[in-house]
Each structure stands twice: as structure tokens, then as C-alpha cells.
Amino acid sequence: MRKKLFLFLFCLPWFAGITAQNVQLHFAPWHGLVPGDAPDPGKNYFYSTVEMFKPDKWGSTFCFIDMSYAGNKGSVNMAYWEIARDLKFWKAPVMAHLEYNGGLVEGVSGAIPNAYLLGASYPFVLGKAFMSTYVAYKCNAFEKTSNDIQWTVTWNCNLLNNKLSMCGFMDLWTENKDRVTGEGDKKLILYTQPQFWFNATEHLAVGTEINISSDFYFDRKVYCLPTLAAKWQF
């Protein structure tokens, strides 16, 4: 799922004086793009994201909550929660990474099972982009537990005197094809969300988030699904 705008800051201790919170509203016109397909709830809809990043002398904490408003009369029908902690009390640049993911879908029990990650993260700079990457053991709490590995890369880059921001993440992980019995092969899932923002003011930005996935939904297809979005930075 999603490592949002400030995830790249997890492993950057020189940002220790920064806190960040923002709220985003996305319009997902996916019913027109993939009518009746796996990500399509039968209509176009909105979803929101609320993010928080908080550093301290031992590392940083990042969390976000996604909610989709595709239920009856625009009610919330899906919620997804993620919280991650990068921890370092040594001089080496590598940090310990701990993470929890979970959520629910209205009327679909176990649609978003809990996941627990433990690994190591590393920050770096590539040109004008601040980046980080981590590799982690991932425990997917399916009906039959799936023991897996995940690799994540995040990035953030400001251009044109901070008028244009490009950020996002890429996740690549394994999980059991059969979530009930755990028997059979693993599958490899790719999920990435590049974001492009025009910063109209210090607080307001407009742009898009492009949801690209392979083997993520149950029909195991490839999707490329953009949104129209606005963001308010507190």
C-alpha cells in the first residue's frame, strides 16, 4: 500500500528540527478508466490521506491514515492505517526499521490483514533528490501466516524554486498466493505511487498521485490509475 510524502525523511537525522503534517483529498476517476475491474467500486469516488512525521533524537516516527468514501451516499467504506518507526542510537547511517500496516473494507472480513515489518533502512542523496531505502522481513497475518521479504525505495525532490515537488515510493514484496492454506507458490507484488505537486502557496498544493501496481489486486493484472488531488500542509 502507501508510504507517503514524508517517508523519505525517516532516515535523515539532519532533519531533527522538522515536524510535518498534511491532509490530502484525491478524486479517483477509476470507474471510467477500468469499469467493473478490481480497483473499481462501481463509481468514481474520493479518498483522503492524513500524514504525520515527527523526528526526535532517537530517529523518527511516520504514520498516515487513508480513507475511501465510496460507500452509500459517500460514506467511508475503506480505511488503511500505517505507522513506522526508524530507530538509531549509534553512529552508522543504517537505522532499524519497524512498521505496522492494517485496515478494513466494509463488508469484506480480512480484506486488509495485518502486516508486521522489521528491517534496516538507509538514507542517501541522488542529485537533487532525497532518497531512502529499506529491506525488511514481513509477516503477513493471513489465515495461514505468510513469511516474506519487502524492499522499499522512497524519494522527494523539489524543483523550480520549490514550485514543483516530486515524491513517492516503490514497494516490492512477496506473499503466499493461497492466503488460506499457505500452500503452493509465492507471488511477487509491485506497488508504487509517484506524486507530482504544484505548490501554489506555502500551504496549498495541487497535483496527482499515480497508483501503479502489478499482481496487487486479486485479478493479478497491471494497473496505472491517476488521481486529481489537493493538499494542505500545516
Side-chain angles (χ1 to χ4, degrees):
M1 303 294 271
R2 306 153 68 94
K3 311 300 182 295
K4 292 285 192 176
L5 178 62
F6 290 96
L7 186 59
F8 79 102
L9 293 174
F10 269 168
C11 306
L12 302 181
W14 50 87
F15 280 94
I18 293 177
T19 58
Q21 299 83 35
N22 73 80
V23 60
Q24 303 171 21
L25 182 63
H26 295 261
F27 174 64
W30 301 345
H31 180 59
L33 296 175
V34 288
D37 220 332
D40 171 26
K43 58 185 175 182
N44 298 329
Y45 65 99
F46 288 90
Y47 68 83
S48 63
T49 299
V50 179
E51 297 177 332
M52 186 278 294
F53 169 78
K54 175 68 175 179
D56 56 62
K57 66 179 180 179
W58 300 114
S60 60
T61 301
F62 174 81
C63 64
F64 74 86
I65 298 173
D66 278 347
M67 291 188 291
S68 294
Y69 304 92
N72 185 39
K73 296 183 179 180
S75 61
V76 175
N77 73 318
M78 187 281 289
Y80 176 75
W81 153 253
E82 188 169 302
I83 184 167
R85 173 71 184 178
D86 271 18
L87 179 65
K88 189 180 84 164
F89 45 87
W90 50 81
K91 292 184 178 181
V94 175
M95 307 179 80
H97 182 84
L98 300 91
E99 184 176 331
Y100 164 78
N101 308 332
L104 56 87
V105 176
E106 182 182 23
V108 186
S109 178
I112 306 178
N114 291 341
Y116 310 90
L117 291 86
L118 175 63
S121 61
Y122 178 75
F124 60 99
V125 177
L126 183 62
K128 294 184 178 181
F130 292 96
M131 305 186 68
S132 74
T133 185
Y134 70 78
V135 176
Y137 161 73
K138 184 175 187 178
C139 175
N140 284 301
F142 302 154
E143 191 163 337
K144 177 66 175 180
T145 300
S146 181
N147 298 295
D148 298 295
I149 191 79
Q150 178 167 313
W151 173 48
T152 293
V153 178
T154 64
W155 61 89
N156 190 87
C157 182
N158 292 319
L159 302 171
L160 304 177
N161 294 321
N162 295 326
K163 283 298 184 181
L164 176 65
S165 296
M166 297 184 295
C167 54
F169 73 91
M170 182 199 71
D171 287 342
L172 191 65
W173 75 92
T174 61
E175 65 178 53
N176 293 341
K177 286 185 177 180
D178 189 331
R179 293 187 172 189
V180 177
T181 68
E183 297 176 353
D185 297 332
K186 295 278 188 180
K187 66 176 180 176
L188 183 65
I189 299 172
L190 170 70
Y191 193 83
T192 181
Q193 284 185 336
Q195 298 180 359
F196 303 90
W197 297 101
F198 171 73
N199 301 308
T201 71
E202 181 183 357
H203 298 286
L204 178 64
V206 293
T208 184
E209 175 178 85
I210 304 174
N211 295 262
I212 302 171
S213 64
S214 174
D215 219 1
F216 179 66
Y217 299 99
F218 290 109
D219 62 7
R220 299 176 182 173
K221 294 181 180 180
V222 176
Y223 294 95
C224 182
L225 303 170
T227 71
L228 298 174
K231 178 180 66 175
W232 184 264
Q233 181 72 44
F234 295 99

